[in-house]
Amino acid sequence: MMNALKSTVLNPKKLSLIAAVIILVSCAPDEPIVVSSVDFQSSVDKVTSIMVHDIFSPPVASRIYAYPNIAAHEILAQGDASMNSLTHAIKHLKPIPLAKDSTINLELAALIAHMDLSKALVFSEERMAQYRDSLYGIWSKQNKSEFNIAKEYGLAVAQHVKLWMNTDQYNQTRTMPKFTVITEDPARWQPTPPAYMDGIEPHWNKIRPFILDSASQFKPTPPPVFSLETNSAFYGELMEVYDTSKRIEAEGDSSEEIQMAQFWDCNPYVSVTRGHLMFATKKITPGAHWIGITKIACNQAGLDFSQTVSAYTYTSMAIFDAFISCWDEKYRSNLIRPETLINQYIDENWKPVLQTPPFPEYTSGHSVVSGAASTVLTKIFGQDFAFDDDTEVPFGLPIRSFDSFEKAAQEAAISRMYGGIHYRAAIEVGLKQGGSVGNTVVNSLFPTQN
């Protein structure tokens, strides 16, 4: 027994060697924390997945993207001479607290601020918290001191942006009355099947824009005068929707127009009826699709962390203001959808290729948002930036290729007529409206380059 015990006792030289190794390890510098553009994109992707789960309306989704991006952008602008603070463009945005320590990892702080604001804006906060905490655990092990300093600063900036965000009238619009349907006027919007939902976000024009001076800055020309006279311009557009849908439906699933419509559907409110049950199939919003295109462009162009955050931020700001502009017109003109009129006066059994979204027709939200987003992306990446759009692959749709952002926007817009949910005027005027919003955002963000 004594011999066995003696054999386990280390001699003094070995003990000294072990002690030296322990000291060296304990004194070794912590591993620096490096976050990449992929990490930022993953955070945005997580937000998108949560929004699909929570079923946010397209306008509200645009708000969820924009504010976290702005917080991240403002943090990075302190340490990147190529980035200008957004305070010169967003007049009501006050400068964020400056980093007191020049050694703060600004990229890490920007990502932390993005996650904290995103968590505050979604319903399923625990999903974002779990994602955040998994990264916190990794970063804390890599370099606890660097992580804690960046975290403290990132959360301070997030709180600054939250206070500003909470003054944009969003909270007030949550308590405003529902939209009143004017049933006695045949020109006015009526809830559509199968869910017959109330009109969503009727007060969105009261939300404070980032760049626009008001929701009505780019008030579009009115739609064609409502008339069911067969020789009227309005009736001609109505019949165009009906005739187009009948033609492409006869061609079947191989129809290029049907494929376009399905690719750009982006309706988070699609209701499915099975017997006595009704449930929703979950999809991304139009803004989310263009955020996905932004990701594709950033990766294709090889942008670094700061450049990626800038591209996401500028695009999301344009989308946000575009929804405000569009929704201002939707509830002003309050125009009836093709589905309602076709069922009442032309073909009671007709159904559009796509399910009609629950809000008035004019102007087309896809057209306005696509016009705005494509204008900003063209400014960032160039006029003839060709790309393969795989944004809808997770939803079972194939990749579509485009020669430019403008071409993608044009297809997104016209797809709404192929889907049977918009008249031509809403599409063409909506694209112009979105282009005006996008150009205003570009001129504000890049004042010396225009």
Side-chain angles (χ1 to χ4, degrees):
M1 178 66 72
M2 288 297 295
N3 289 336
L5 288 172
K6 286 180 180 179
S7 67
T8 62
V9 177
L10 297 175
N11 62 49
K13 289 184 178 180
K14 289 184 178 180
L15 286 171
S16 298
L17 180 61
I18 291 172
V21 171
I22 292 173
I23 292 172
L24 285 172
V25 171
S26 63
C27 294
D30 290 325
E31 178 184 352
I33 301 173
V34 178
V35 292
S36 68
S37 57
V38 173
D39 295 313
F40 181 80
Q41 291 173 350
S42 295
S43 181
V44 177
D45 289 346
K46 185 63 180 180
V47 175
T48 299
S49 70
I50 294 172
M51 285 198 288
V52 170
H53 173 271
D54 289 348
I55 312 181
F56 282 98
S57 72
V60 175
S62 73
R63 183 174 183 265
I64 295 172
Y65 282 121
Y67 282 106
N69 289 342
I70 290 172
H73 180 281
E74 290 302 276
I75 290 174
L76 294 171
Q78 293 181 69
D80 190 331
S82 67
M83 299 175 70
N84 293 320
S85 169
L86 295 172
T87 53
H88 78 279
I90 307 176
K91 304 306 181 184
H92 45 81
L93 171 61
K94 295 180 180 180
I96 63 170
L98 294 177
K100 298 178 181 179
D101 187 345
S102 61
T103 64
I104 290 179
N105 186 332
L106 294 180
E107 292 180 344
L108 180 59
L111 185 51
I112 289 171
H114 183 274
M115 292 189 295
D116 185 71
L117 271 164
S118 298
K119 174 179 172 293
L121 284 162
V122 297
F123 295 146
S124 299
E125 293 186 23
E126 72 284 353
R127 289 175 178 249
M128 198 67 202
Q130 289 172 1
Y131 176 79
R132 175 203 64 191
D133 292 345
S134 66
L135 292 176
Y136 277 9
I138 294 171
W139 295 332
S140 183
K141 290 179 180 178
Q142 284 181 328
N143 192 320
K144 189 171 185 178
S145 176
E146 181 182 16
F147 164 65
N148 285 335
I149 293 172
K151 178 183 175 184
E152 181 181 4
Y153 181 58
L155 294 180
V157 172
Q159 180 60 26
H160 176 90
V161 174
K162 283 177 189 176
L163 294 174
W164 166 60
M165 175 183 75
N166 288 335
T167 63
D168 71 354
Q169 296 298 307
Y170 175 79
N171 292 331
Q172 288 82 348
T173 61
R174 300 308 90 189
T175 60
M176 290 179 182
K178 292 182 179 181
F179 178 65
T180 301
V181 177
I182 306 174
T183 56
E184 63 274 13
D185 188 340
R188 302 307 165 207
W189 178 80
Q190 310 292 324
T192 50
Y196 295 94
M197 294 176 61
D198 292 331
I200 66 163
E201 300 300 339
H203 307 290
W204 200 253
N205 65 342
K206 296 178 177 62
I207 302 295
R208 178 186 61 201
F210 291 134
I211 305 298
L212 301 185
D213 58 27
S214 69
S216 60
Q217 181 176 351
F218 295 109
K219 180 181 177 181
T221 57
V225 176
F226 177 83
S227 172
L228 294 177
E229 295 293 329
T230 57
N231 61 347
S232 68
F234 181 86
Y235 190 81
E237 291 203 2
L238 175 64
M239 287 304 299
E240 182 181 25
V241 174
Y242 180 70
D243 292 340
T244 299
S245 73
K246 299 298 286 186
R247 174 181 60 79
I248 64 179
E249 283 181 346
E251 296 174 5
D253 292 340
S254 62
S255 166
E256 178 71 5
E257 288 96 334
I258 288 180
Q259 292 175 20
M260 289 182 192
Q262 292 172 340
F263 185 78
W264 293 101
D265 186 14
C266 304
N267 182 0
Y269 290 105
V270 174
S271 299
V272 179
T273 302
R274 298 272 174 81
H276 297 291
L277 297 176
M278 179 175 286
F279 57 92
T281 59
K282 299 180 178 182
K283 298 181 180 181
I284 57 174
T285 62
H289 193 131
W290 280 100
I291 291 295
I293 291 174
T294 304
K295 176 183 178 180
I296 293 167
C298 288
N299 289 338
Q300 187 171 315
L303 300 193
D304 62 21
F305 190 95
S306 293
Q307 292 169 330
T308 296
V309 171
S310 291
Y312 273 83
T313 303
Y314 300 161
T315 306
S316 63
M317 287 169 57
I319 292 169
F320 179 86
D321 276 12
F323 271 115
I324 293 173
S325 178
C326 181
W327 252 243
D328 178 58
E329 179 57 37
K330 278 189 178 294
Y331 285 96
R332 178 190 300 110
S333 53
N334 188 17
L335 186 61
I336 195 165
R337 289 277 185 170
E339 181 172 17
T340 306
L341 292 179
I342 291 172
N343 287 161
Q344 287 179 347
Y345 299 103
I346 301 172
D347 183 348
E348 65 180 6
N349 297 315
W350 181 84
K351 291 183 180 180
V353 172
L354 302 179
Q355 197 170 109
T356 303
F359 36 81
E361 191 272 345
Y362 189 83
T363 49
S364 157
H366 268 60
S367 302
V368 179
V369 169
S370 297
S374 63
T375 299
V376 172
L377 288 169
T378 298
K379 176 63 179 180
I380 297 170
F381 296 99
Q383 186 70 43
D384 300 313
F385 190 94
F387 63 98
D388 296 327
D389 187 355
D390 62 357
T391 308
E392 298 290 339
V393 169
F395 302 94
L397 296 170
I399 295 171
R400 292 188 68 82
S401 300
F402 301 98
D403 295 331
S404 67
F405 301 113
E406 183 180 5
K407 292 289 181 59
Q410 290 170 349
E411 181 177 292
I414 196 62
S415 75
R416 310 310 275 169
M417 188 175 72
Y418 298 149
I421 59 179
H422 275 296
Y423 312 110
R424 182 174 290 275
I427 292 163
E428 294 179 349
V429 176
L431 266 178
K432 293 178 182 179
Q433 183 182 358
S436 297
V437 173
N439 282 322
T440 301
V441 172
V442 165
N443 291 336
S444 182
L445 294 174
F446 305 93
T448 62
Q449 300 178 27
N450 296 288

